[in-house]
Amino acid sequence: MTTNNWNTSLYDGKHNFVTKYGEDLLGLLNAQSGERILDIGCGTGHLTAKIAECGATVIGLDNSAQMLDKARETYPHMTWVNASASDFAFGQPFDAIYSNATLHWVSDAEGAVRCMTAALKLGGRLVVELGGKRNIGTIADVVRQAIKVQTGRDSQHGWFFPSIGEYAPLLEKHGFEVNAAWLFDRPTKLEGEDGMANWIRMFSGGLLRGLPADAIEPIIAASVAQLRATQYVDGVWYADYRRLRVVGRRAT
Ligand code: BEZ
């Protein structure tokens, strides 16, 4: 799994759109009282707790111990599990799996699908959203180019941003039927004049990893200067997010 050194205050503060947009998916999940639900990539746990409000038993899973410490502190009565999304197993199967803005961090995408199949009951629901094809394509291209200019190095972002045509067959191969899938642009407002610089600092760990420390800020500054032409509109920064949303069911 691609890792990031998460700053939980930034995640809940300036970048709380991760949680806000995740609420859109809750309608599709349609959690019911008494159900057993797994939230993969629960982060600081706000959405996990929201799902549980209907009376479902919800378990939050995340590979970041820092995120889970925060979740445990805020919601001590709930169950939080520290595990990788591509390497987990539970003794008791779930009625539904929910995942928002996590699966694109998991480099072993097939391992994640295999674990999700094994964790669901037959007929169990899958409701997931991740970065889709060309997600943050403009930002990544510009940062990659700035890295090349500043250091001469080529860099790969390492995220998994599939199209519908790539992800649906992977799900089907591992026993899911895909009931609906959408790939859509979701330009995402970033907070404040430093919004783009903060976003790159928070999320571009994979691209910037291994670069000399003194090269990082010049790369961010050069990227921000170039992105201003397309991503700064009427005084607001936008990240060029594209979402892949999938609703399915374990069929075999
Ligand atoms: C996303 O949610 O699409 C995303 C966030 C950070 C880095 C890459 C993708």
Side-chain angles (χ1 to χ4, degrees), residues 18-35:
V18 178
T19 300
K20 284 199 181 125
Y21 280 118
E23 290 180 17
D24 289 355
L25 267 191
L26 296 184
L28 289 173
L29 177 64
N30 192 21
Q32 303 294 318
S33 178
E35 283 189 325

Side-chain angles (χ1 to χ4, degrees), residues 30-50:
N30 192 21
Q32 303 294 318
S33 178
E35 283 189 325
R36 198 175 136 76
I37 296 178
L38 177 64
D39 178 4
I40 297 179
C42 62
T44 49
H46 300 309
L47 286 172
T48 325
K50 196 156 189 110

Side-chain angles (χ1 to χ4, degrees), residues 68-127:
L68 291 178
D69 284 348
K70 186 86 177 139
R72 241 176 239 116
E73 187 186 309
T74 318
Y75 307 104
H77 56 289
M78 294 184 64
T79 303
W80 308 103
V81 173
N82 191 191
S84 159
S86 58
D87 186 15
F88 70 85
F90 288 86
Q92 225 188 317
F94 291 91
D95 297 290
I97 290 179
Y98 167 94
S99 181
N100 175 50
T102 292
L103 293 171
H104 48 246
W105 294 100
V106 184
S107 48
D108 181 7
E110 184 155 16
V113 173
R114 205 177 279 118
C115 288
M116 293 193 293
T117 307
L120 273 177
K121 291 178 180 166
L122 207 55
R125 310 183 312 281
L126 180 73
V127 178

Side-chain angles (χ1 to χ4, degrees), residues 2 102-110 113 130-133 135 157-163 166-167 170 244:
T2 308
T102 292
L103 293 171
H104 48 246
W105 294 100
V106 184
S107 48
D108 181 7
E110 184 155 16
V113 173
L130 61 153
K133 191 98 187 159
N135 188 42
H157 66 57
W159 290 301
F160 173 62
F161 296 145
S163 65
E166 288 161 344
Y167 204 51
L170 187 61
L244 174 62

